[in-house]
Amino acid sequence: LWMGDHPAGPSKVRTPGGQMAGCLISTLKRSPSMLGEKLAQGGQLPFLMKVLSIEKALSIQAHPDRELAAKLHKERPDVYKDANHKPEIAIALTDFEALCGFRYISEIAAFAEAIPELRDAMGQAALDALKEATGHSEGLQEAALRNAYCSMMRRPESEV
């Protein structure tokens, strides 16, 4: 369930009497003051509310900050439909485990060495770069981690 004014699926609005009043985008354009003084000028919500039932692992989410979101939307509105950033919060109603960030690259490299399937998904070159970056500058470690991550995420489905 999601509620908001995202162009890909804006919420529908009903009047207090239950009649359909259109989508949230058109409602906010007609009556931006309902957002309050601070948001009325933009005429849109700065968030998208999602209610998720997490039965299995969710995909990795990476959202730009407000400045980058606006820049990407301006440059490629066909891809980046929304100029707003996407801050997220999780409120668990039941037991819940979440992972945030990455392990140290030395640990990732050790796992890849020990688990052939992980090494194959990552690729030997990416693993070698992780091992080489271990103990070096933060910039080198970030680049090696980015390379390993991208290598795994771009791996053809037939190889995963």
Side-chain angles (χ1 to χ4, degrees):
L1 168 68
W2 71 346
M3 293 170 269
D5 61 354
H6 192 282
S11 296
K12 306 241 184 290
V13 177
R14 292 186 184 271
T15 66
Q19 300 295 318
M20 285 300 292
C23 74
L24 186 57
I25 294 172
S26 60
T27 301
L28 294 176
K29 284 187 193 294
R30 282 193 312 270
S31 306
S33 61
M34 70 174 40
L35 292 170
E37 188 177 318
K38 190 173 181 180
L39 299 175
Q41 187 173 2
Q44 65 181 155
L45 294 173
F47 62 86
L48 174 66
M49 182 178 152
K50 295 180 188 179
V51 178
L52 304 173
S53 174
I54 304 170
E55 188 171 308
K56 62 181 184 173
L58 297 175
S59 62
I60 292 174
Q61 298 287 307
H63 301 294
D65 61 20
R66 187 182 303 255
E67 184 179 313
L68 182 57
K71 178 180 180 273
L72 293 171
H73 176 69
K74 184 176 181 180
E75 291 173 357
R76 299 193 55 199
D78 55 317
V79 176
Y80 299 96
K81 311 270 188 217
D82 193 335
N84 277 310
H85 62 318
K86 304 287 187 276
E88 294 193 5
I89 184 172
I91 301 171
L93 302 179
T94 59
D95 289 344
F96 177 80
E97 283 187 39
L99 302 175
C100 181
F102 294 92
R103 290 179 177 269
Y104 292 110
I105 63 169
S106 59
E107 292 178 29
I108 297 170
F111 280 123
E113 288 278 343
I115 304 168
E117 295 85 0
L118 178 57
R119 182 177 56 248
D120 292 346
M122 182 183 298
Q124 190 63 48
L127 173 57
D128 291 344
L130 278 179
K131 292 191 299 189
E132 178 66 29
T134 299
H136 286 81
S137 73
E138 189 174 309
L140 188 59
Q141 291 183 40
E142 278 185 24
L145 179 59
R146 183 178 299 111
N147 180 47
Y149 174 80
C150 290
S151 178
M152 288 188 290
M153 297 312 273
R154 293 183 179 137
R155 187 73 56 205
E157 191 172 322
S158 62
E159 294 178 21
V160 179

